[in-house]
Amino acid sequence: SKEIVDKVDNLWRTTDEGVQYFLQNDLIHPLSLDPKAPWSARPESFASRFIHKIPIVRNAQQAAVAFTNNLMYANASSLYKTMKNSGAQFNDFKAIGALIDTSLGQRQLPEAFNQYAPVFNALMFSPKLVWSRVSSPQFLVSSSPYVRKEAWKSFGALLGFGATVIGLYKLGTGRNVELDPRGTEYGKLR
């Protein structure tokens, strides 16, 4: 229920030093269940005005928002402790906040596009998610060593997961999988 989601959210916001630091400095942007919240704080602007009226869908949206925010808070808390102990500067925290937002598909649109965000949302599916995916590679070459390390760990985990799935599929089914990255059907499971 919304009350439980709000209690968990409030618990993170009031008891964790790392989450408080990231929120007070506007470095991470958690989602809101409030239908009157600004566009940038809602998961899906176009649908969310109507979605709160359908009980089953409303509960699913509450669960998705709670999960996303919990993941964001857990990452912020863990990274804050590590970075604080190693002497990170504010710019490092700012960059890691952008990485957290991006990895969860919540990267804020560039300032020039914010005024057009509702239009983008009406024309395409989840512009913040699309912008997050397009801007993700920049973190691999970030000037902050903390961000580079986390970005490469995530990238390596993604590649490792993909290779594991392909390998298990090939071993388990005995079917052919294109393994040549130059081929047009690279990674295709048949």
Side-chain angles (χ1 to χ4, degrees):
S1 74
K2 186 173 182 327
E3 292 78 28
I4 294 172
V5 170
D6 288 340
K7 281 181 185 178
V8 171
D9 196 67
N10 192 43
L11 185 66
W12 272 110
R13 290 172 181 259
T14 57
T15 60
D16 191 275
E17 179 187 3
V19 172
Q20 289 174 351
Y21 179 83
F22 277 95
L23 290 173
Q24 287 168 355
N25 291 297
D26 197 33
L27 303 178
I28 57 173
H29 303 90
L31 297 174
S32 172
L33 287 171
D34 184 3
K36 296 178 180 103
W39 180 86
S40 61
R42 287 184 279 171
E44 295 174 8
S45 171
F46 195 71
S48 65
R49 284 187 220 112
F50 310 108
I51 210 133
H52 295 284
K53 296 179 180 15
I54 305 169
I56 294 172
V57 178
R58 179 180 56 230
N59 293 343
Q61 184 186 31
Q62 288 172 353
V65 166
F67 177 78
T68 302
N69 286 351
N70 270 335
L71 198 55
M72 180 179 289
Y73 295 149
N75 283 331
S77 177
S78 171
L79 290 169
Y80 176 79
K81 290 172 189 163
T82 303
M83 292 171 65
K84 182 181 175 192
N85 292 337
S86 61
Q89 303 298 316
F90 178 76
N91 284 340
D92 295 320
F93 286 107
K94 186 175 180 180
I96 209 78
L99 176 65
I100 292 170
D101 278 350
T102 300
S103 65
L104 295 174
Q106 296 303 315
R107 178 80 185 261
Q108 299 299 304
L109 295 173
E111 197 62 42
F113 296 116
N114 271 343
Q115 64 184 358
Y116 305 111
V119 174
F120 289 143
N121 202 46
L123 296 175
M124 63 191 287
F125 174 75
S126 192
K128 288 194 295 187
L129 177 65
V130 171
W131 179 245
S132 293
R133 298 305 174 247
V134 169
S135 64
S136 289
Q138 80 181 26
F139 294 107
L140 296 172
V141 294
S142 172
S143 62
S144 170
Y146 305 100
V147 173
R148 275 196 315 272
K149 179 182 173 188
E150 289 301 317
W152 279 106
K153 278 177 27 183
S154 296
F155 185 63
L158 178 67
L159 288 179
F161 177 74
T164 302
V165 168
I166 289 172
L168 289 175
Y169 177 81
K170 189 170 184 171
L171 288 173
T173 64
R175 293 185 176 173
N176 192 20
V177 178
E178 178 64 51
L179 299 176
D180 182 7
R182 297 170 295 171
T184 57
E185 296 186 349
Y186 172 65
K188 183 175 181 182
L189 306 177
R190 295 183 223 154

